[in-house]
Amino acid sequence: LLVVCPHLAESSGSWTYRDPEGPNTWKHHFKDCGGYEQSPINIVPKDTLFEPGLADLVVNYENNVSAKLFNNGHTVQATFLTGKSDISGGNLTSRFRALQMHFHWGSKNSRGSEHQVGGRKFPLEIHIVHYNAEKYLSASEALKKGDGLAVLGILVELQAQDNPVFSGIVDNLEKVRYKDNEIILPYLQPFSFLPHDIAQYYTYRGSLTTPGCYESVQWFVFNHTFPISQVQLDKFRDLFDGVKQNTKKLPLGDNYRPVQPLHARSVIRSFSKYD
């Protein structure tokens, strides 16, 4: 899958999360980044629409997958090396095959997530990316199609103790500390990274959150969060955005795109009551 679509969410051309090539400039170099269905967004619960007939999201993941953990200079990504995990249900019309998971985090605990809920920012957000394998032969073919991708967004909160689910990732981050570092994880359990209640979610039409910002994503952002400890979160902040030999490399963090205007879109929720 990495060969077919190395970073999936990226496009050729130079871009960063910092000026002078930061998010405010992306639309000048990648036209879709200036579109009207861009992600992430601030989800305002009172403005969302409850849809009683919305089907449950069906997550059919393998118990264990092997994955390539890779620092691409923008994030750390675990690309699944087997293709038997998929999701369906919700408002999806096909089965979508799981490709990879990656992370967005802040240099401070007060920021880091891409999506916000009622204006609240979280210190980290997990994205699990899928493509429409029933309709398209490859992820690269699906990338620019309106029904090509589906992404699960998991908002992460701090807790006092370590979360053992994160151990398989964070215990190996030292081995991918610099850009282009990679290792193989023989055992990864993607399902374990989902919150305890996946029946409650928000869903909307959106885009990739990195260039080329293609508006090809059905987003599912879960209402319940997932925990991480401060010690585990700090290990993400020890990563760098450049190769080891680069004297100008900087800490990899604050790798989130600011929220984008909702415009005419609706955000649907699968549950009747919200806090």
Side-chain angles (χ1 to χ4, degrees):
L1 294 175
L2 202 64
V3 174
V4 172
C5 204
H7 303 311
L8 187 70
E10 298 178 19
S11 180
S12 59
S14 180
W15 62 274
T16 70
Y17 289 101
R18 299 181 175 93
D19 292 335
E21 297 175 317
N24 289 335
T25 71
W26 293 355
K27 62 185 178 183
H28 302 309
H29 307 287
F30 309 92
K31 63 179 179 62
D32 288 13
C33 295
Y36 286 89
E37 292 190 344
Q38 289 292 291
S39 298
I41 60 169
N42 175 32
I43 298 169
V44 181
K46 68 179 180 62
D47 294 337
T48 61
L49 303 174
F50 171 52
E51 192 170 299
L54 193 62
D56 286 343
L57 190 64
V58 179
V59 179
N60 183 28
Y61 286 171
E62 291 179 85
N63 289 334
N64 284 291
V65 300
S66 57
K68 178 182 282 188
L69 191 67
F70 181 64
N71 179 339
N72 63 25
H74 300 299
T75 185
V76 62
Q77 175 176 306
T79 300
F80 308 140
L81 299 179
T82 56
K84 297 178 182 177
S85 296
D86 60 52
I87 61 172
S88 58
N91 46 11
L92 298 175
T93 56
S94 305
R95 289 187 178 273
F96 284 67
R97 183 173 300 161
L99 283 167
Q100 48 103 331
M101 62 189 296
H102 63 266
F103 306 86
H104 300 268
W105 63 92
S107 58
K108 297 181 178 179
N109 293 347
S110 58
R111 61 178 186 250
S113 66
E114 297 211 297
H115 288 91
Q116 300 174 20
V117 179
R120 181 186 175 189
K121 303 173 183 177
F122 297 79
L124 187 143
E125 183 171 342
I126 305 168
H127 290 164
I128 307 180
V129 182
H130 312 72
Y131 81 99
N132 189 339
E134 285 190 10
K135 191 168 181 181
Y136 304 109
L137 294 176
S138 67
S140 54
E141 183 187 355
L143 188 61
K144 300 181 183 181
K145 308 295 186 183
D147 59 353
L149 302 176
V151 181
L152 306 184
I154 301 104
L155 299 167
V156 177
E157 285 191 283
L158 286 170
Q159 68 174 17
Q161 65 272 29
D162 284 353
N163 182 347
V165 173
F166 264 111
S167 297
I169 297 287
V170 299
D171 291 352
N172 285 286
L173 289 180
E174 186 177 355
K175 299 172 185 174
V176 293
R177 196 175 186 198
Y178 304 100
K179 183 182 178 183
D180 296 337
N181 288 168
E182 60 182 49
I183 62 163
I184 300 297
L185 302 177
Y187 302 106
L188 186 67
Q189 297 177 315
F191 189 85
S192 299
F193 287 86
L194 301 180
H196 69 278
D197 182 357
I198 63 171
Q200 294 191 16
Y201 60 82
Y202 299 99
T203 184
Y204 76 98
R205 291 289 310 154
S207 73
L208 298 175
T209 63
T210 55
C213 308
Y214 303 123
E215 294 177 341
S216 55
V217 181
Q218 187 67 42
W219 276 96
F220 296 89
V221 180
F222 292 109
N223 184 44
H224 292 282
T225 60
F226 192 72
I228 194 172
S229 72
Q230 186 68 63
V231 170
Q232 291 175 315
L233 178 59
D234 286 343
K235 290 187 179 181
F236 282 93
R237 296 171 177 162
D238 285 338
L239 302 175
F240 288 93
D241 68 356
V243 297
K244 188 174 184 179
Q245 297 79 8
N246 184 352
T247 56
K248 296 182 179 180
K249 62 183 177 291
L250 296 167
L252 179 51
D254 293 327
N255 58 346
Y256 60 91
R257 187 187 192 190
V259 293
Q260 303 297 300
L262 188 61
H263 293 298
R265 291 175 288 174
S266 296
V267 180
I268 306 299
R269 69 179 190 273
S270 66
F271 52 102
S272 59
K273 296 182 180 180
Y274 55 85
D275 295 331

